[in-house]
Amino acid sequence: NKGNYEHYMQKEIHEQPESLTTTMRGRLKHGGSCKGKTVLLGGLKEHIKTIRQSRRIVFIGCGTSYNAALAARPIIEELSGVPVTMEIASDLVDRQGPIYREDTAVFVSQSGETADTLLALEYALENGALCVGITNTVGSAIARKTHCGIHINAGCEIGVASTKAYTSQIVVMAMLALAIGDDAISSQARREAIIDGLFDLPYKVREVLKLDQEMKDLAKLLISEQSLLVFGRGYNFATALEGALKVKEVSLMHSEGILAGEMKHGPLALVDENLPIIVIATRDACFSKQQSVIQQLHARKGRLIVVCTKGDAASVCPGGSCRVIEVPQVEDCLQPVVNIIPLQLLAYHLTVLRGYNVDQPRNLAKSVTTQ
Ligand code: F6R
């Protein structure tokens, strides 16, 4: 049921304040006077100590689910102190890469049925790792075959392009970071700030959804382009990859997410006055580096569209020369949840304006159950 919306993708983008609320329901505790704010993940209760003590945490997934894990990686590393590595499921299986008994392998999958991810799970089980599932489908193969897990609770997602599951996955993994780091006094203030940020997040997402018309206007401007680059770094490297994935899979426009730190190592050669480039430059520890990326792109006459924190337009856009999309600020590790939304809206509007099927893109299936 699409309700008042024309497409499932549009409905699912706009229902993110609610899906995020459902994802967090019953899992965040304000705490009484003696016990501070905490996170409760029922499905992991018996295993959290083992995860904390593991030698390494390996995230495994495909497509958007991989990108969600990439967005959460920095906060998991920061709060757990455990090294985190990333694996695209098919690549891990192709390489028969090393997985050890002392590893925690976390499988991220909206459907819980993706063949590549399932194969990687079987491989990790054979190698004796503790296997954790993060899925949106109760009773799915990945939910059943993992040792423990966290349900995403984002509600059924029908559009082939994953939108609300992505933001809920990031929130689930931020809560996982909080749960793993729960015993460290040194990071208590940081953890409480993130928990406050989580409580506030649905309101901030509602605010950023008001950019709908602005993103439609931008889509009109970009409708006939051949290609679109998206630059991000730090927490928002994932935003660049995921934004580009959304644009290419539904609007059928070539798009590439680029780690801004790699700009000088090749991509800079593409920059001219025609190719549109989105730069994610919201406030966090990488902000000044992104400002200098913008200056360098600007010096090469790049056609820039900058996603920045509210009020920062003048400081990110030299001489008013670029288009600016202002988003509300949240805790740095939650910023990818907010920042992806204008790009989801852009992908949606580009597709509708270009006349393609937004809910069922050419050649794609919602659940990829073959290799
Ligand atoms: C992109 C998309 C795909 C899936 C990928 C993994 O919008 O939906 O990239 O994310 O096929 O699917 P799940 O998460 O079901 O394992």
Side-chain angles (χ1 to χ4, degrees):
N1 186 341
K2 292 197 278 271
N4 293 328
Y5 295 100
E6 282 172 56
H7 304 100
Y8 284 111
M9 182 181 179
Q10 183 190 29
K11 171 173 177 277
E12 287 159 6
I13 292 172
H14 286 275
E15 75 193 10
Q16 288 177 102
E18 292 76 36
S19 52
L20 289 167
T21 304
T22 324
T23 296
M24 294 186 278
R25 183 165 295 139
R27 291 168 162 173
L28 296 180
K29 301 283 170 230
H30 266 305
S33 50
C34 53
K35 185 110 173 83
K37 296 165 181 154
T38 52
V39 163
L40 251 179
L41 297 171
L44 292 188
K45 231 175 33 217
E46 322 273 285
H47 296 89
I48 203 78
K49 227 173 128 188
T50 317
I51 300 175
R52 216 173 264 154
Q53 290 166 352
S54 51
R55 181 94 67 82
R56 172 177 75 146
I57 298 170
V58 193
F59 278 106
I60 301 160
C62 308
T64 292
S65 293
Y66 174 90
N67 292 342
L70 189 66
R73 177 193 202 178
I75 194 62
I76 306 239
E77 285 178 334
E78 179 191 327
L79 293 183
S80 73
V82 180
V84 178
T85 61
M86 302 291 310
E87 292 284 359
I88 290 179
S90 63
D91 187 49
L92 176 69
V93 173
D94 287 348
R95 288 174 9 251
Q96 297 282 293
I99 296 283
Y100 302 112
R101 291 181 59 80
E102 301 79 10
D103 287 335
T104 296
V106 183
F107 295 84
V108 188
S109 173
Q110 190 284 129
S111 62
E113 302 288 350
T114 302
D116 289 322
T117 311
L118 256 172
L119 275 172
L121 168 57
E122 272 150 27
Y123 175 72
L125 286 168
E126 280 164 22
N127 285 276
L130 173 70
C131 295
V132 180
I134 296 182
T135 77
N136 197 32
T137 317
V138 181
S140 63
I142 291 171
R144 280 184 283 110
K145 292 183 180 173
T146 41
H147 297 114
C148 57
I150 316 170
H151 193 249
I152 297 163
N153 276 336
C156 184
E157 190 179 66
I158 293 168
V160 165
S162 185
T163 52
K164 63 175 181 169
Y166 177 71
T167 49
S168 280
Q169 283 166 338
I170 298 175
V171 160
V172 159
M173 288 181 268
M175 292 193 290
L176 174 64
L178 292 164
I180 303 174
D182 201 22
D183 61 341
I185 303 290
S186 56
S187 59
Q188 189 168 342
R190 169 78 159 143
R191 288 199 311 273
E192 295 197 354
I194 297 168
I195 293 175
D196 288 340
L198 284 169
F199 275 116
D200 214 28
L201 195 56
Y203 303 100
K204 295 293 166 71
V205 166
R206 183 153 293 139
E207 205 179 314
V208 77
L209 282 165
K210 292 185 188 145
L211 289 170
D212 192 41
Q213 185 59 46
E214 207 174 315
M215 299 320 293
K216 189 172 177 181
D217 294 343
L218 178 61
K220 283 181 191 154
L221 217 71
L222 299 178
I223 184 169
S224 313
E225 295 301 333
Q226 297 278 332
S227 181
L228 172 71
L229 300 187
V230 191
F231 279 69
R233 73 195 311 145
Y235 288 108
N236 289 290
F237 173 35
T239 309
L241 295 187
E242 175 60 10
L245 178 57
K246 283 302 86 120
V247 167
K248 87 179 90 175
E249 76 172 321
V250 290
S251 81
L252 315 189
M253 180 186 290
H254 169 256
S255 186
E256 208 179 312
I258 294 175
L259 182 68
E262 282 286 282
M263 179 179 73
K264 291 180 196 156
H265 305 288
L268 199 52
L270 290 171
V271 180
D272 63 12
E273 62 273 32
N274 302 313
L275 174 67
I277 303 175
I278 298 180
V279 183
I280 316 291
T282 41
R283 290 270 171 177
D284 61 19
C286 296
F287 180 62
S288 62
K289 289 187 185 171
Q290 282 304 72
Q291 279 182 303
S292 98
V293 162
I294 292 167
Q295 277 161 10
Q296 293 175 51
L297 292 170
H298 186 61
R300 280 148 189 100
K301 303 195 168 47
R303 240 180 100 190
L304 302 184
I305 300 146
V306 179
V307 177
C308 71
T309 303
K310 232 172 217 166
D312 264 351
S315 44
V316 294
C317 183
S321 53
C322 46
R323 210 180 162 100
V324 170
I325 300 156
E326 294 188 50
V327 299
Q329 184 167 21
V330 294
E331 258 326 274
D332 52 9
C333 62
L334 304 176
Q335 196 69 50
V337 171
V338 169
N339 290 359
I340 194 59
I341 290 172
L343 303 183
Q344 292 173 343
L345 290 167
L346 175 65
Y348 170 76
H349 287 298
L350 261 180
T351 311
V352 174
L353 290 167
R354 282 158 71 97
Y356 295 121
N357 187 333
V358 70
D359 284 332
Q360 286 195 304
R362 179 173 80 187
N363 307 336
L364 297 183
K366 180 68 183 158
S367 182
V368 187
T369 51
T370 53
Q371 251 186 290

